[in-house]
């Protein structure tokens, strides 16, 4: 039936700008020290048009308590205890340059808006955002992709923990400037999406202001297969884009089949769904989840979903997950449906009694939910309206991408009601002259940059191309200025570091990397010492200064090399020769040494 | 050809800009900027000479104010059998909304937002003014006092929505004017306007309403206790002061502990406080012929005399224990001889003035100055207006020195300096 043929893809790419926060003068980087905590509850309010946004309303009904951890790089502005200061000039400049590089029309009046977000990720209850430029394009191998807007906005607080009706956020990320670039839905397919993201990313990175940490670049994928736009947030890596899209395609195909199948059964709407309190049926249950809920004072509710039998979870049908995603957003974990019962400690006997009470036929499904009484009404209204919406194939919503490329429901798609003017920030005037001057700073096209990098740093054009297309140009430039061996830097950032980070499952923060290369430059380390230092930092979770003093890091001197080799030559059962000597020395010592020097020592020894 | 002047707020329009056509909602137009809202909610402020109006797709209902508010002010939130609190709105941030035309925050009469919050108290509301509090005047205090008395005559307690800038002045004035009261009078404001999801207005109002159901027979100010939406402090009006420009917990009790707290649905009052009485008695005269002088090095005799002339009373905020430069002492002597009351408070805010310690102080006493111990300067100002308005002149000094409403702390204790947690 070809959902795929109707694919429409658009991207929203966010780049953090590194030069301090957008509306206060706090730095972007911080230590992990916690200063204190405070708590807030958000209330959704109406927009300038007088109505409440459905996404905001949905978030408010969850009525979560938000707890904030004040970091050292936060001040009263992040606590929502002081109005915003002036817009950070460098962030604005970066956004203007990116806009010009993407062939956009820069607006002469920058008008900040408040985008209402009441999930607690902003202490103010809104995100400040302004469109900087509109109506541009970026060239790709498959034609121009139109850019609808370039915006400048503040990043949200970083979620640390979530559960039990409480979300805990760190304020370290709140207020970091983000440049958001949105394309029109003119991207042809998944690979084209990756190419487009790279092409856009190149220009922003090349402007030289963007931050180089793990989550510094985040993309949202907008995809539609003819059943409404789905916005998938938080796609962390470009390589995940195809997986996310293909996951969404199969999800939509499955929903399409469920929808058809359910309507053959005369459908979900055959009668108004009823909710029953069945707590008493489970007082003696063996199900740990139900029992702990009952003990906590929660109730067990059941409802019969007509025409949904076998569609909750069997084969490719997954309506159960759609509902589980929803209730999890309310902090509810106890949801079971008939396709997975008996199970989870619920016996056949309990199931039989429940089916009979709920008058379940083979065509029907039964949903079992444990939750507080106070939440039950809102929860079932949301469940039934989500089911109805999905069965009608109105799939518009906001989803979130997990690390494995799967996605889950986040909230309804926000509308224009969630935006209203940020009255604390005056309109910024951008003169035509300013725009004209900025044009000088627009980066060169990608090919020219690659050849420039290749020439200036003596790298192969292939390496230069990888550096540029993986947004590591600024990093190469910075680290090479500290440690004057660009080839080693290139190899380190493209190969050694990613391998080590993968091996130890943790990352080296940018400021620590900068410090490491500063030390490397001062001490004129050889490559092996540098690599060993990075290894020690990752394996031990150490700071560069701590690592620099480690005994293990000191390079083997000529005498030490000679001693090791003498021992090797004397003791080896098999012959030590020119080909295996380096490997054997490595095996003997954990300390780094210069291979060329070792070879020289070996030759002098073997002459004797 | 349609023109921008034909378009009313809220109309759907098609316009062209930078070679592309867009659809949007018309918001506003002035001499050189047209503001339109795009379908994604962003407002664009475009230069008038660069944007062309293609057509009006759908005209908004006449009068321009387009869509009705979803939640309108309810006159009464009915909770039968519960305590009844009356709410008087005078304006300020707590009752403010964004004015989408000017983009500024301005007062609004919509106070319906509290209706969802308070289920256990019956609240009736009345808007008696709609100003930002810097525009308050003694005449308005007199009007306010009458309205509060009327409210208390038909309810268990009264809360007053007020701008925070001058809330301590207003609450102190009301405090002096009520010599007895049948229910609590609780002033409440907010530091973040109620159009914001993070507004403190909701929690502050909730706390104030509950404070107003107690036997607190004084005037208090209820605001956030700290940065969290967790607890509300009530300060005695005559010892309260706004001590921060923007924080939620800007209000502090100066030199004493707060008199009450509200959290998780319940109020805790911290005695001693005056209990509610049997009648509402007010002395509703205020004589505004009082000035306040903040002494500073280099304050000239000429400027000083300008602020003193034609006033019946002058509050000086002196340095430290209550001092001003020697050069001003002849002017003070002259003024007190002519019958002007000159009173001394301290810029330090914390602690008492004491004119016996240094020679300047003793000279000031000889010059006829009246020291006001640890009374806050702003409180002294409104108290002087109250005393001048309601008592004979020969009673003035005695009344000013008498502790009428807790404005003087008899025993100052060590642990209440600074106020912060």
């Amino acid at each position: 039936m070809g959902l795929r043929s109707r694919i429409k893809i658009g991207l929203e790419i966010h780049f953090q700008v590194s030069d301090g926060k957008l509306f206060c003068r706090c730095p972007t980087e911080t230590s992990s020290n916690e200063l204190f905590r405070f708590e807030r509850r958000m209330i959704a309010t109406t927009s300038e048009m007088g109505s409440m946004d459905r996404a905001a309303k949905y978030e408010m009904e969850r009525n979560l308590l938000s707890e904030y951890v004040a970091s050292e790089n936060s001040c009263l502005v992040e606590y929502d205890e002081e109005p915003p200061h002036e817009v950070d000039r460098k962030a604005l400049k970066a956004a203007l340059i990116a806009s010009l590089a993407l062939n956009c029309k820069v607006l002469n009046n920058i008008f900040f808006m408040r985008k209402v977000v009441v999930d607690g990720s902003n202490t103010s209850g809104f995100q400040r955002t302004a469109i900087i430029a509109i109506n541009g394009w970026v060239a790709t191998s498959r034609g121009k992709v139109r850019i609808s807007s370039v915006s400048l906005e503040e990043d949200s607080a970083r979620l640390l923990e979530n559960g039990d009706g409480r979300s805990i956020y760190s304020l370290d990320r709140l207020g970091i400037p983000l440049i958001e670039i949105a394309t029109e839905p003119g991207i042809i397919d998944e690979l084209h999406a990756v190419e487009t993201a790279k092409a856009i990313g190149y220009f922003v990175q090349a402007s030289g202001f963007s931050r180089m940490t793990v989550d510094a670049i985040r993309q949202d994928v907008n995809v539609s297969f003819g059943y409404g736009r789905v916005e998938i947030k938080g796609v962390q890596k470009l390589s995940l884009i195809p997986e996310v899209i293909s996951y969404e395609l199969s999800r939509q195909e499955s929903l399409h089949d469920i929808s058809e199948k359910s309507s053959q059964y005369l459908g979900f709407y055959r009668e108004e769904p009823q909710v029953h309190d069945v707590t008493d049926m489970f007082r003696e249950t063996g199900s740990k989840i139900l029992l702990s809920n009952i003990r906590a004072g929660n109730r067990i509710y059941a409802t019969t979903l007509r025409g949904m039998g076998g569609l909750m979870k069997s084969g490719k049908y997954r309506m159960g997950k759609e509902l589980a995603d929803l209730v999890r957003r309310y902090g509810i974990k106890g949801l079971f449906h008939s396709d997975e019962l008996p199970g989870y400690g619920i016996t056949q006997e309990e199931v039989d009694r429940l089916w009979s009470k709920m008058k379940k036929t083979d065509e029907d499904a039964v949903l079992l939910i444990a939750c507080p009484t106070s939440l039950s009404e809102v929860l079932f209204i949301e469940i039934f309206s989500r089911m109805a919406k999905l069965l009608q194939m109105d799939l518009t919503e906001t989803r979130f991408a997990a690390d494995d490329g799967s996605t889950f429901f986040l909230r309804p798609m926000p509308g224009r009601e969630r935006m209203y003017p940020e009255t604390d920030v005056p309109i910024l005037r951008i003169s035509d002259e300013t725009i004209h001057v900025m044009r000088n700073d627009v980066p060169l096209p990608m090919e020219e940059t690659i050849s420039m990098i290749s020439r200036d740093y003596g790298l192969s054009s292939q390496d230069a191309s990888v550096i540029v297309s993986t947004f590591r140009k600024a990093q190469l430039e910075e680290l090479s200025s500290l440690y004057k061996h660009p080839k080693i830097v290139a190899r380190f950032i493209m190969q050694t570091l990613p391998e080590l980070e993968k091996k130890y499952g943790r990352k080296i923060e940018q400021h620590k990397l900068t410090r490491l290369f500063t030390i490397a430059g001062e001490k004129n380390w050889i490559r092996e010492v540098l690599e060993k230092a990075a290894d020690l930092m990752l394996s031990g979770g150490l700071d560069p200064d701590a690592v620099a003093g480690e005994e293990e890091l000191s390079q083997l001197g000529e005498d030490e090399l000679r001693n090791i080799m003498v021992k090797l030559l004397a003791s080896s059962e098999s012959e030590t020769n020119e080909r295996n000597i380096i490997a054997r020395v490595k095996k003997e010592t954990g300390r780094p040494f210069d291979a060329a020097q070792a070879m020289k020592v070996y030759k002098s020894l073997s002459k004797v | 050809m349609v023109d921008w002047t034909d378009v009313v707020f809220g109309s759907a329009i098609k316009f062209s800009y930078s070679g592309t056509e867009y659809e949007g909602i018309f918001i506003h137009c002035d001499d050189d900027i047209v503001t339109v809202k795009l379908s994604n909610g962003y407002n664009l402020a475009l230069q008038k000479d660069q944007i062309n109006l293609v057509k009006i797709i759908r005209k908004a209902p006449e009068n321009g104010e387009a869509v009705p508010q979803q939640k309108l002010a309810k006159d009464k939130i009915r909770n039968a059998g519960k305590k009844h609190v009356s709410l008087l709105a005078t304006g300020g941030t707590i009752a403010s909304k964004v004015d989408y035309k000017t983009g500024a925050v301005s007062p609004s009469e919509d106070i319906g937002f509290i209706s969802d919050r308070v289920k256990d108290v019956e609240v009736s509301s009345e808007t008696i003014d709609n100003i930002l509090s810097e525009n308050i005047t003694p005449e308005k205090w007199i009007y306010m006092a009458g309205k509060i008395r009327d409210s208390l005559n038909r309810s268990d307690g009264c809360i007053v929505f007020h701008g925070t800038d001058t809330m301590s002045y207003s609450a102190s004035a009301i405090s002096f004017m009520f010599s007895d009261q049948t229910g609590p009078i609780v002033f409440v404001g907010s530091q973040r306007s109620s159009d914001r999801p993070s507004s403190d207005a909701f929690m502050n109002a909730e706390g104030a309403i509950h404070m107003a159901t107690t036997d607190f027979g004084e005037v208090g100010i209820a605001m956030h206790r700290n940065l969290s939406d967790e607890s509300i402090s009530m300060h005695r009006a005559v010892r309260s002061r706004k001590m921060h420009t923007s924080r939620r917990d800007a209000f502090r009790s100066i030199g004493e502990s707060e008199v009450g707290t509200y959290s998780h649905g319940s109020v805790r009052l911290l005695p001693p406080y005056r209990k509610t009485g049997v009648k509402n008695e007010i002395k509703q005269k205020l004589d505004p012929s009082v000035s306040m002088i903040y002494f500073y090095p280099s304050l000239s005799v000429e400027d000083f005399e300008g602020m003193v002339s034609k006033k019946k009373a002058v509050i000086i905020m002196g340095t430290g224990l209550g001092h001003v430069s020697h050069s001003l002492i002849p002017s003070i002597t002259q003024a007190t001889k002519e019958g002007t009351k000159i009173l001394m408070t301290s810029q330090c805010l914390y602690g008492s003035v004491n004119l016996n310690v240094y020679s300047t102080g003793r000279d000031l006493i000889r010059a006829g100055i009246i020291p006001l111990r640890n009374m806050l300067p702003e409180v002294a100002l409104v108290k002087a207006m109250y005393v001048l308005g309601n008592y004979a002149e020969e009673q003035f000094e005695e009344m000013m020195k008498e502790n009428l409403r807790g404005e003087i702390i008899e025993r100052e204790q060590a642990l209440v300096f600074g106020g912060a947690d």
Side-chain angles (χ1 to χ4, degrees):
Chain A
M1 23 137 266
L3 251 59
R4 174 161 258 297
S5 65
R6 288 188 267 174
I7 192 169
K8 273 189 180 171
I9 305 173
L11 291 172
E12 278 175 32
I13 312 182
H14 304 88
F15 299 88
Q16 284 183 339
V17 180
S18 60
D19 185 65
K21 296 196 175 180
L22 189 54
F23 286 111
C24 64
R25 302 293 82 91
C26 285
T28 38
E29 311 302 331
T30 190
S31 71
S32 50
N33 288 352
E34 170 181 336
L35 300 184
F36 63 94
R37 295 185 179 211
F38 59 96
E39 293 174 354
R40 296 276 163 77
R41 270 181 206 282
M42 297 296 162
I43 312 285
T45 50
T46 56
S47 77
E48 64 190 306
M49 309 305 289
S51 44
M52 194 183 276
D53 182 63
R54 58 185 180 275
K57 186 166 176 287
Y58 161 75
E59 295 289 4
M60 183 184 72
E61 279 169 353
R62 291 168 55 216
N63 192 26
L64 295 178
L65 183 73
S66 300
E67 180 174 324
Y68 299 99
V69 176
S71 57
E72 278 185 356
N73 69 337
S74 63
C75 67
L76 290 184
V77 173
E78 283 91 335
Y79 313 154
D80 190 44
E81 292 290 355
E82 188 183 340
H85 302 184
E86 268 186 44
V87 175
D88 181 65
R89 288 281 146 181
K90 274 196 187 162
L92 180 63
K93 185 178 178 192
L96 288 170
I97 292 171
S99 301
L100 294 171
L102 295 167
N103 309 292
C104 291
K105 160 76 180 166
V106 171
L107 300 176
N108 292 102
N109 304 298
I110 309 291
F111 193 130
F112 274 90
M113 301 291 289
R114 297 169 173 177
K115 187 188 284 183
V116 173
V117 185
V118 291
D119 64 0
S121 60
N122 288 72
T123 48
S124 55
F126 50 74
Q127 177 190 34
R128 297 184 182 94
T129 173
I131 293 184
I132 303 296
I134 56 175
N135 202 17
W137 53 266
V138 63
T140 71
S141 65
R142 296 157 86 176
K144 284 179 182 174
V145 171
R146 299 216 58 85
I147 305 289
S148 41
S149 63
V150 176
S151 310
L152 183 59
E153 53 192 37
E154 42 180 13
D155 207 342
S156 55
R158 191 163 57 85
L159 184 66
L160 300 175
E161 270 178 68
N162 196 355
D164 295 333
R166 172 188 291 255
S167 302
I168 305 177
Y169 294 94
S170 166
L171 298 182
D172 55 2
R173 200 180 72 186
L174 181 65
I176 291 180
L178 285 180
I179 297 175
E180 185 206 77
I181 292 154
T183 76
E184 299 279 336
I187 294 168
I188 300 161
D189 57 25
E190 296 95 315
L191 290 178
H192 192 212
V194 176
E195 188 196 341
T196 305
K198 280 189 177 168
I200 291 171
Y202 162 73
F203 279 112
V204 180
Q205 294 276 320
S207 311
F209 295 102
S210 65
R211 203 160 164 249
M212 294 178 287
T213 54
V214 188
D215 60 349
I217 305 173
R218 298 192 298 271
Q219 36 263 316
D220 300 347
V221 177
N222 286 307
V223 62
S224 153
F225 299 98
Y227 296 105
R229 181 164 72 96
V230 174
E231 184 184 69
I232 303 164
K233 299 190 88 70
V235 182
Q236 296 274 6
K237 286 185 293 188
L238 288 181
S239 56
L240 268 184
I241 292 178
E243 287 171 55
V244 160
I245 291 174
S246 105
Y247 180 90
E248 189 55 26
L249 174 62
S250 58
R251 175 180 162 265
Q252 296 203 6
E253 282 172 343
S254 150
L255 284 170
H256 188 267
D257 291 354
I258 291 175
S259 171
E260 296 214 321
K261 194 109 184 222
S262 162
S263 63
Q264 283 168 17
Y265 289 153
L266 288 173
F268 174 63
Y269 275 119
R270 200 167 58 195
E271 62 184 61
E272 188 82 7
Q274 302 287 323
V275 179
H276 296 273
D277 185 333
V278 295
T279 316
D280 289 339
M281 297 178 74
F282 293 95
R283 296 237 175 251
E284 310 290 319
T285 187
S287 159
K288 280 182 191 152
I289 296 183
L290 292 185
L291 215 52
S292 66
N293 267 285
I294 293 174
R295 285 195 187 124
N298 293 344
R299 308 290 296 180
I300 317 287
Y301 298 93
T303 188
T304 308
L305 305 172
R306 300 285 176 211
M308 293 304 296
L311 300 177
M312 302 307 286
K313 187 185 181 183
S314 69
K316 57 182 178 171
Y317 304 126
R318 288 277 184 280
M319 185 58 91
K321 181 178 187 303
E322 300 292 333
L323 302 183
D325 280 358
L326 175 75
V327 304
R328 195 173 304 124
R329 300 287 298 154
Y330 288 85
I332 305 291
K333 288 178 192 114
L335 176 140
F336 304 101
H337 54 73
S338 42
D339 289 357
E340 57 189 4
L341 297 178
Y344 301 101
I346 301 172
T347 62
Q348 183 66 50
E349 198 195 336
E350 284 172 316
V351 165
D352 289 343
R353 268 191 290 149
L354 184 63
W355 285 189
S356 130
K357 180 175 170 61
M358 300 306 294
K359 301 190 174 62
K360 176 189 175 314
T361 70
D362 288 348
E363 292 181 359
D364 303 329
V366 167
L367 208 59
L368 200 60
I369 295 179
C371 71
T373 325
S374 57
L375 210 60
S376 62
E377 193 182 333
V378 170
L379 200 62
F380 277 99
I381 290 173
E382 286 293 333
I383 287 173
F384 296 140
S385 73
R386 176 156 175 79
M387 290 238 352
K389 187 171 173 292
L390 293 176
L391 291 174
Q392 287 159 28
M393 289 303 283
D394 172 5
L395 303 185
T396 308
E397 66 187 30
T398 305
R399 300 181 66 81
F400 197 85
D403 292 342
D404 62 358
S406 66
T407 65
F408 58 86
F409 171 77
L410 192 64
R411 57 173 169 253
M413 181 75 77
R416 67 171 172 235
E417 273 67 38
R418 74 161 165 177
M419 300 279 255
Y420 73 104
E422 168 51 273
T423 48
D424 298 340
V425 180
I427 290 180
L428 282 170
R429 316 250 175 225
I430 309 292
S431 69
D432 288 334
E433 200 195 335
T434 305
I435 297 169
H436 185 74
V437 172
M438 297 262 175
R439 284 198 188 279
N440 299 330
D441 293 323
V442 170
L444 299 169
M446 197 189 294
E447 295 67 34
E448 289 178 42
T449 305
I450 291 170
S451 54
M452 187 188 78
I453 290 274
S454 165
R455 187 186 66 231
D456 292 356
Y457 292 102
L459 303 181
S460 71
S461 63
Q462 199 196 342
D463 282 356
S465 165
V466 172
I467 291 277
V468 170
S469 66
T470 54
F471 312 141
R472 292 190 173 103
K473 171 175 171 278
Q475 194 177 26
L476 174 78
E477 287 168 344
E478 191 204 350
L479 299 182
S480 298
S481 74
L482 301 168
Y483 178 69
K484 317 244 180 251
H485 305 280
K487 277 187 180 166
I488 297 177
V489 174
R491 177 181 153 139
F492 184 87
I493 60 180
M494 286 192 300
Q495 195 183 326
T496 316
L497 184 62
E499 279 171 14
L500 286 172
E501 287 181 336
K502 199 173 167 193
K503 179 176 168 192
Y504 293 110
R506 59 173 109 177
K507 305 264 177 190
I508 298 184
E509 293 154 47
Q510 182 56 35
H511 67 275
K512 290 188 181 166
L513 210 54
T514 304
R515 179 69 195 139
L516 177 68
F517 276 79
T518 308
I519 299 170
E522 283 163 6
K523 300 199 169 180
N524 202 17
W525 281 348
I526 58 167
R527 176 172 64 81
E528 288 82 356
V529 177
L530 179 67
E531 289 175 355
K532 182 76 192 174
D535 193 311
L536 287 174
M537 280 173 71
L538 284 162
S539 62
L542 297 171
D543 282 342
D545 286 285
V547 163
E550 290 275 324
E551 159 76 6
E552 271 185 277
L553 205 63
S554 62
Q555 188 184 341
L556 290 176
E558 200 172 318
D559 292 345
E560 289 169 305
L561 277 169
R562 186 173 293 111
N563 289 342
I564 291 170
M565 285 183 203
V566 168
K567 216 164 75 187
L568 278 173
L569 287 167
S571 71
S572 297
E573 311 92 58
S574 62
E575 194 197 342
T576 300
N577 57 35
E578 231 174 273
R579 277 184 312 256
N580 65 18
I581 181 66
I582 299 295
R584 289 197 172 181
V585 175
K586 253 187 201 162
K587 217 174 150 189
E588 276 300 303
T589 174
R591 287 165 56 193
F593 60 91
D594 182 348
Q597 190 189 17
M599 196 51 82
K600 230 186 258 168
V601 173
Y602 175 75
K603 281 184 179 155
S604 73
L605 275 175
S606 48
K607 268 183 212 149
V608 179
Chain B
M1 181 65 196
V2 278
D3 188 66
W4 291 112
T5 52
D6 301 335
V7 196
V8 289
F9 171 79
S11 299
I13 56 165
K14 182 177 268 186
F15 63 93
S16 71
Y17 178 76
S18 158
T20 307
E21 284 196 351
Y22 295 89
E23 286 183 10
I25 304 274
F26 174 78
I27 299 288
H28 179 63
C29 172
D30 65 17
D31 289 347
D32 51 21
I33 291 177
V34 177
T35 306
V36 288
K37 183 179 268 298
L38 299 179
S39 59
N40 58 12
Y42 279 94
N43 286 14
L44 296 184
L46 303 172
Q47 295 299 119
K48 206 173 184 179
D49 54 9
Q50 294 178 17
I51 172 173
N52 285 311
L53 180 61
V54 177
K55 66 171 184 181
I56 299 172
I57 300 169
R58 192 169 16 82
K59 199 173 169 186
E62 214 47 71
N63 87 12
E65 293 308 322
V67 202
Q69 294 287 314
Q70 204 174 47
K71 268 196 283 179
L72 284 172
K74 285 178 193 161
D75 276 337
K76 207 158 204 183
I77 303 157
R78 282 258 166 225
N79 288 295
K82 311 284 181 181
K83 287 242 184 184
H84 175 201
V85 168
S86 49
L87 186 167
L88 299 178
T90 69
T93 301
I94 189 162
S96 279
K97 285 246 171 220
V98 171
D99 178 338
Y100 295 105
K101 290 195 175 149
T102 62
V105 177
S106 61
S108 129
E109 299 194 2
D110 179 8
I111 50 166
F113 66 84
I114 59 154
S115 61
D116 297 341
R117 306 274 300 189
V118 186
K119 307 261 189 241
D120 51 344
V121 183
E122 181 181 325
V123 182
S124 58
S125 71
E126 185 184 351
T127 300
I128 61 167
D129 207 340
N130 198 0
I131 56 162
L132 293 172
S133 75
E134 56 270 32
N135 301 316
I136 201 79
T137 60
E139 295 85 73
K140 286 181 183 289
W141 290 332
I142 291 166
Y143 176 70
M144 202 186 283
K147 282 291 184 182
I148 293 171
R149 179 193 53 203
D150 297 347
S151 300
L152 282 180
N153 284 339
R154 52 185 155 74
S155 64
D156 298 308
C158 180
I159 69 167
V160 182
F161 276 11
H162 198 287
T164 54
D165 278 10
T166 58
M167 189 153 67
S168 284
Y169 291 85
S170 294
S172 296
I174 298 300
S175 183
F176 288 116
M177 288 157 90
F178 273 82
S179 54
D180 194 9
Q181 61 194 75
T182 56
I185 301 169
V186 185
F187 279 68
V188 57
S190 84
Q191 291 280 75
R192 304 276 98 74
S193 59
S194 59
D195 59 271
R196 303 163 69 113
S198 62
S199 174
D200 53 334
F202 313 108
M203 181 79 190
N204 289 349
E206 181 188 322
I209 288 170
H210 286 96
M211 300 282 189
T213 62
T214 63
D215 66 349
F216 180 69
E218 298 188 34
V219 182
I221 285 182
M223 291 288 286
H224 261 56
R225 187 156 193 254
N226 48 42
L227 302 191
S228 288
D229 286 333
E230 185 204 1
S231 53
I232 300 299
S233 283
M234 184 163 66
H235 309 279
R236 174 169 285 116
V238 290
R239 291 306 309 174
S240 70
R241 204 165 189 283
K242 186 177 185 181
M243 296 298 284
H244 198 278
T245 57
S246 61
R247 285 171 63 136
R248 283 165 174 71
D249 56 351
F251 278 81
R252 296 292 157 112
S253 291
I254 305 298
E256 67 175 21
S257 305
E258 58 208 348
V259 284
T261 56
Y262 169 83
S263 69
H264 304 293
S266 61
V267 175
R268 203 164 72 97
L269 290 177
L270 305 160
Y273 58 87
R274 185 174 78 183
K275 295 280 168 69
T276 45
V278 290
K279 58 186 187 305
N280 292 304
E281 200 167 9
I282 57 175
K283 287 194 169 68
Q284 56 180 348
K285 283 191 199 137
L286 294 173
D287 186 336
S289 181
V290 185
S291 68
M292 178 145 72
I293 298 174
Y294 195 106
F295 170 76
Y296 53 90
S298 93
L299 172 62
S300 72
V301 170
E302 192 191 352
D303 289 348
F304 181 82
E305 288 179 348
M307 290 286 284
V308 170
S309 75
K310 297 187 192 127
K311 296 292 175 193
K312 290 184 187 157
V314 176
I315 311 295
I316 295 177
M317 291 177 76
T319 54
L321 289 167
H323 303 136
V324 294
S325 144
H326 246 109
S327 61
L328 300 177
I329 290 178
S331 308
I332 293 172
T333 310
Q334 182 63 27
T336 56
K337 262 187 200 153
E338 288 166 8
T340 307
K341 316 291 180 192
I342 307 215
L343 305 109
M344 183 59 77
T345 62
S346 175
Q347 296 171 11
C348 296
L349 305 176
Y350 284 88
S352 279
V353 296
N354 191 325
L355 302 181
N356 300 317
V357 180
Y358 293 97
S359 61
T360 304
R362 293 189 285 272
D363 292 344
L364 283 168
I365 289 177
R366 273 192 290 279
I369 215 152
I370 305 167
L372 291 180
R373 298 172 64 188
N374 50 28
M375 202 186 304
L376 291 168
E378 300 85 353
V379 175
L381 178 85
V382 295
K383 184 176 180 182
M385 291 182 188
Y386 166 77
V387 173
L388 286 171
N390 297 292
Y391 297 89
E393 198 199 325
E394 46 291 3
Q395 283 179 280
F396 183 84
E397 181 167 348
E398 180 199 343
M399 292 300 290
M400 284 305 290
K401 286 178 164 174
E402 191 182 325
N403 195 358
L404 299 178
R405 304 283 183 265
E407 70 274 20
I408 295 165
I409 301 169
E410 300 296 344
R411 287 172 57 243
E412 212 177 324
Q413 294 184 311
L415 295 176
V416 286
F417 176 50
D421 326 279

